[in-house]
Amino acid sequence: MTFHVIPYSFYESGTTYFWVHFGLVILGFVVALATCIGQWVKPAPYGKHEREDPNWGPKIPQRLSHIISDALTGIIMFSLVFFLYSREVADKGVLNYVFYGLFLIHTLHRGLLHPLTMRYRSATVPIGITIGGLLPNVLYQWLIANHIGVAGYDSSYPYDPRFLLGILLYVIGFVINRWADWKLRSLREIKGQENHSSMIDGGGGGGGDGCNGYYIPYGGLFDLIACPNYFGELVQWIGWTLATWSLSGVVWTLFCAATFFARSRHNLQWYRDQFQHYPPNRKALIPFIF
Ligand SMILES: NC(=O)c1ccc[n+]([C@@H]2O[C@H](COP(=O)([O-])OP(=O)(O)OC[C@H]3O[C@@H](n4cnc5c(N)ncnc54)[C@H](OP(=O)(O)O)[C@@H]3O)[C@@H](O)[C@H]2O)c1
């Protein structure tokens, strides 16, 4: 098998398509950096960090907000760009469709299933949260769809270690993310049927009534870190970047990491402030490290 540093053909350098793509990649780096700084200073006001802040605008239903910011971009715009934009540049091969399917599984989940099934404490979020999710998603998911819609991968690439390891990490990360979000969801049982299993350490922090309070999660990765859902998604995007071997993957992973590192740090501090008996050795995002 021949090893190519860039295992696919892409836009010819110097063309307008080339500059649009890589100009937006540079913008992606800048947005990721700005996100890192902004989120590190103050977490976005939803979930545990909800607060009254008129700068974030009027409130809209939380489920609708997540559908607008994630399904509109990650399902509809993503598919339109993949199938229609610059389609004459390359004939799509099986790998293009594999990448399309993998990303779509994520966005179908994140944009529809997740907002329709999770048990949020608050029914609404400020519209700034919707816009703050929507605009970066337009940028990064456009780039990702553009890359996987156009790149013509080598015929030997399905056997390339980058592809194989990347796909493995993507699947492992996806499973961890889903498992962790589902475990969090299960902390809030229907009122009157609370499940006091070993996972639950009593309601606290947030004034719940047994079905919408906050609890200390236990079990699996929750024994090591505060945010296994973020950790799983981070692993997922590292795998994606490796498998697609793309700069669009790099900037998307950096953007997500900017949120995950900053918000998990705030979440860990929040747990420590709210629960006296919060396990002291738990890290925020990366077991034993961060
Ligand atoms: N790609 C990205 O840039 C990005 C950015 C952010 C999030 N995400 C993904 O989106 C998903 C949700 O993110 P998130 O920030 O909303 O995660 P989160 O703060 O962990 O909340 C997830 C869900 O669990 C509930 N929950 C959290 N901690 C709880 C506790 N101790 N006790 C009871 N319920 C608890 C939350 O309720 P409340 O809403 O009432 O707090 C919410 O319904 C995750 O899969 C994450 O990876 C991706």
Side-chain angles (χ1 to χ4, degrees):
M1 191 180 74
T2 336
F3 182 86
H4 291 135
V5 177
I6 308 292
Y8 49 81
S9 58
F10 201 56
Y11 295 129
E12 247 178 68
S13 70
T15 60
T16 307
Y17 283 128
F18 176 92
W19 284 117
V20 168
H21 186 88
F22 290 104
L24 290 175
V25 163
I26 293 169
L27 180 62
F29 273 111
V30 175
V31 173
L33 185 64
T35 302
C36 183
I37 296 168
Q39 294 264 41
W40 197 266
V41 174
K42 214 171 194 183
Y46 73 90
K48 297 182 185 74
H49 309 287
E50 187 183 9
R51 58 186 180 272
E52 288 309 316
D53 186 342
N55 294 328
W56 287 80
K59 299 205 169 172
I60 67 166
Q62 173 151 206
R63 294 183 199 284
L64 177 68
S65 168
H66 294 312
I67 291 172
I68 291 173
S69 62
D70 287 82
L72 272 187
T73 52
I75 300 170
I76 297 174
M77 182 205 73
F78 183 73
S79 298
L80 288 175
V81 174
F82 178 81
F83 285 109
L84 300 181
Y85 182 77
S86 307
R87 65 180 165 172
E88 73 279 9
V89 175
D91 287 333
K92 291 180 181 37
V94 174
L95 281 196
N96 301 77
Y97 291 103
V98 168
F99 287 134
Y100 172 74
L102 282 174
F103 200 86
L104 202 64
I105 286 172
H106 167 81
T107 47
L108 278 170
H109 202 283
R110 180 78 189 105
L112 289 179
L113 208 64
H114 190 278
L116 292 176
T117 56
M118 291 308 278
R119 295 168 177 153
Y120 302 118
R121 187 167 69 94
S122 173
T124 58
V125 284
I127 200 161
I129 294 293
T130 321
I131 296 167
L134 181 74
L135 294 183
N137 280 347
V138 168
L139 170 64
Y140 294 107
Q141 293 175 2
W142 187 94
L143 276 171
I144 288 171
N146 185 212
H147 175 87
I148 63 166
V150 171
Y153 283 90
D154 297 348
S155 55
S156 61
Y157 195 60
Y159 309 102
D160 191 295
R162 289 168 289 188
F163 177 77
L164 295 172
L165 180 61
I167 295 294
L168 183 67
L169 286 176
Y170 186 90
V171 173
I172 291 173
F174 182 82
V175 171
I176 293 174
N177 174 267
R178 294 291 79 247
W179 167 81
D181 270 343
W182 205 250
K183 192 127 177 163
L184 286 173
R185 182 184 182 278
S186 73
L187 291 177
R188 290 178 178 160
E189 296 297 325
I190 307 297
K191 195 174 181 183
Q193 301 175 30
E194 292 98 50
N195 175 6
H196 294 285
S197 72
S198 60
M199 253 171 71
I200 296 175
D201 190 359
D209 59 2
C211 63
N212 73 354
Y214 286 109
Y215 307 86
I216 301 180
Y218 291 101
L221 273 171
F222 279 106
D223 290 339
L224 298 177
I225 49 178
C227 304
N229 49 353
Y230 296 170
F231 172 75
E233 200 175 325
L234 182 60
V235 171
Q236 195 184 331
W237 297 130
I238 290 171
W240 173 269
T241 303
L242 195 59
T244 59
W245 204 245
S246 59
L247 279 178
S248 58
V250 171
V251 287
W252 170 241
T253 303
L254 286 177
F255 169 74
C256 295
T259 299
F260 297 152
F261 275 92
R263 199 166 175 89
S264 65
R265 174 176 155 270
H266 290 297
N267 282 354
L268 180 63
Q269 192 53 53
W270 180 93
Y271 274 119
R272 286 178 176 161
D273 292 344
Q274 296 291 332
F275 296 97
Q276 267 184 350
H277 304 297
Y278 192 74
N281 292 332
R282 273 191 205 180
K283 298 287 184 187
L285 182 67
I286 314 284
F288 312 111
I289 296 175
F290 177 86

